[in-house]
């Protein structure tokens, strides 16, 4: 009874006052604009029309002094935050087992003032937040939610998407040699590199480059001339193939079907690069993936410097291809009776 008489009305008054103050602050907050977006590395190369439509997706949020915008270790799905007014502090935990965050269990990394964007790269890398951000004053933020961001990036041109991925995964690429070192043993897992001598493999190891990409990204597209060999070190990918399917009306249509899952470690695109042929299948990442990449130009450069090895590589590729074809027959067994003399 005491709670209902005294505490509940006081709590309601406090909430009304806070909401009124937030409404006043929101009315004075600078609007989201193209200039603000294009100042960020993530958005500066994006088409203007796409950015204009994205601006409408931002939601204004006001944080009180002492509130946390981002917590270290949390999932990246909370949002991309554009801090438009106020000041925030960035903390890194000293003891990760201690759940407390702030000056008592954290190192102050920086203090940020408007206009600044935080949390933008976690959407693509799907890594936990690396630090906590606490408000030192009332802070006005424009927030972009994950679903809206995903819808935005899926409509971007390939070149723009590649630039965004390079920006988001720059740190991860720089440290990949520590997490997933590329070695001769790793290369020899691929059958076409088994005949290679030590000096040729050492040359190829100088050419390979780290390549980290997000989930739901096509690293190879079918029917496009092969341009790179991918050494999958972490994550998994789906093999997407056009498979003919019989419709209820008897008509046959080609449907893009997930026919196989590739898990690390494995090699993708090696035989297509060796033969100079198009990629047979499309490869879609099913998680955030870490690759080492050898481009076709660097691969051919190594072959020219080591004449005679290509014959042995071709033989290894042929054996590998025959074993692959043996596993693919089940995809087309329903159509064997379309052969005229077997219909009877």
């Amino acid at each position: 009874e005491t709670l209902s008489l005294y505490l509940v009305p006081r709590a309601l008054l406090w909430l009304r006052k806070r909401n009124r103050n937030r409404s006043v602050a929101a009315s004075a907050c600078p609007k989201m604009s193209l200039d603000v977006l294009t100042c960020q590395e993530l958005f500066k190369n994006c088409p203007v029309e796409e950015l204009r439509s994205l601006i409408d997706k931002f939601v204004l949020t006001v944080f009180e002094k002492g509130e946390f915008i981002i917590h270290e270790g949390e999932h990246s799905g909370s949002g991309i935050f554009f801090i438009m007014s106020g000041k925030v502090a960035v903390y890194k935990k000293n003891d990760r087992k201690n759940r407390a965050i702030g000056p008592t269990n954290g190192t102050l990394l920086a203090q940020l003032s408007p206009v600044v964007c935080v949390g933008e790269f976690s959407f693509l890398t799907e890594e936990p937040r690396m630090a906590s951000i606490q408000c030192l004053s009332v802070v006005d933020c424009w927030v972009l939610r994950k679903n809206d961001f995903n819808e935005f990036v899926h409509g971007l041109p390939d070149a723009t998407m590649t630039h965004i991925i390079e920006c988001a995964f720059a740190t991860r690429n720089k440290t990949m040699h520590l997490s997933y070192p590329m070695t001769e043993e790793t290369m020899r897992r691929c059958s076409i590199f088994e005949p290679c001598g030590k000096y040729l493999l050492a040359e190829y190891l100088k050419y390979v480059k780290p390549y980290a990409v997000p989930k739901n990204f096509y690293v190879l597209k079918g029917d496009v001339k092969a341009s790179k060999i991918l050494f999958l070190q972490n994550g998994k990918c789906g093999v997407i193939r056009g498979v003919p399917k019989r419709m209820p009306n008897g008509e046959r249509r080609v449907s893009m079907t997930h026919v196989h899952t590739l898990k690390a470690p494995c090699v993708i695109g090696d035989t297509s690069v060796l033969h100079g042929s198009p990629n047979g299948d499309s490869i879609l990442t099913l998680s955030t993936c870490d690759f080492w990449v050898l481009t076709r130009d660097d691969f051919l450069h190594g072959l020219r410097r080591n004449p005679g090895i290509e014959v042995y590589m071709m033989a290894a590729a042929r054996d590998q291809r025959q074993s692959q074809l043996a596993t693919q027959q089940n995809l087309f067994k329903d159509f064997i009776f379309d052969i005229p003399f077997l219909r009877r």
Side-chain angles (χ1 to χ4, degrees), residues 154 197 232 283 285:
H154 286 156
L232 178 60
I283 306 297
T285 57

Side-chain angles (χ1 to χ4, degrees), residues 93-255:
K93 277 186 180 181
N94 295 329
D95 181 9
R96 292 190 175 183
K97 293 182 180 179
N98 187 345
R99 301 186 70 176
I101 305 174
T104 58
N105 180 37
T107 301
L108 179 63
L109 301 181
Q111 290 188 4
L112 305 177
S113 300
V115 171
V116 63
C117 178
V118 295
E120 68 272 33
F121 293 141
S122 295
F123 271 6
L124 289 170
T125 62
E126 294 191 343
E127 295 173 341
R129 304 290 194 182
M130 301 301 293
S132 299
I133 297 180
Q134 186 179 27
C135 299
L136 300 178
S137 65
V138 176
V139 173
D140 297 326
C141 286
W142 286 104
V143 184
L144 180 65
R145 301 301 178 187
K146 188 169 186 177
N147 290 341
D148 295 325
F149 179 77
N150 288 341
E151 183 180 343
F152 166 72
V153 296
H154 286 156
L156 294 176
D158 290 345
T160 305
M161 188 61 188
T162 299
H163 171 75
I164 290 176
I165 289 173
E166 288 175 354
C167 293
F169 287 90
T171 302
R172 188 162 176 158
N173 285 330
K174 287 179 182 177
T175 59
M176 196 181 295
H177 68 284
L178 301 175
S179 305
Y180 307 103
M182 189 66 174
T183 63
E184 289 185 16
E185 181 182 356
T186 304
M187 294 201 79
R188 288 190 188 279
R189 290 194 189 117
C190 177
S191 60
I192 71 169
F193 290 105
E194 288 181 2
C196 298
K198 190 171 183 178
Y199 293 105
L200 179 55
L201 289 181
E203 185 175 356
Y204 282 146
L205 287 174
K206 294 178 182 178
Y207 294 147
V208 293
K209 295 179 176 60
Y211 182 49
V213 293
K215 181 181 179 181
N216 293 327
F217 179 73
Y218 279 96
V219 290
L220 293 179
K221 293 187 176 180
D223 297 327
V224 176
K225 189 172 182 180
S227 60
K228 56 193 173 186
I229 299 174
L230 298 169
F231 297 85
L232 178 60
Q233 302 292 84
N234 173 58
K236 57 184 180 179
C237 300
V239 179
I240 311 299
R241 181 178 302 152
V243 177
K245 289 188 175 181
R246 192 187 302 277
M247 307 303 291
N249 60 2
E251 181 183 355
R252 285 185 297 176
R253 292 183 182 176
V254 175
S255 174

Side-chain angles (χ1 to χ4, degrees), residues 22-29 31 60:
R22 287 188 171 185
S23 299
V24 172
S27 64
C29 177
K31 301 296 183 182
L60 181 61

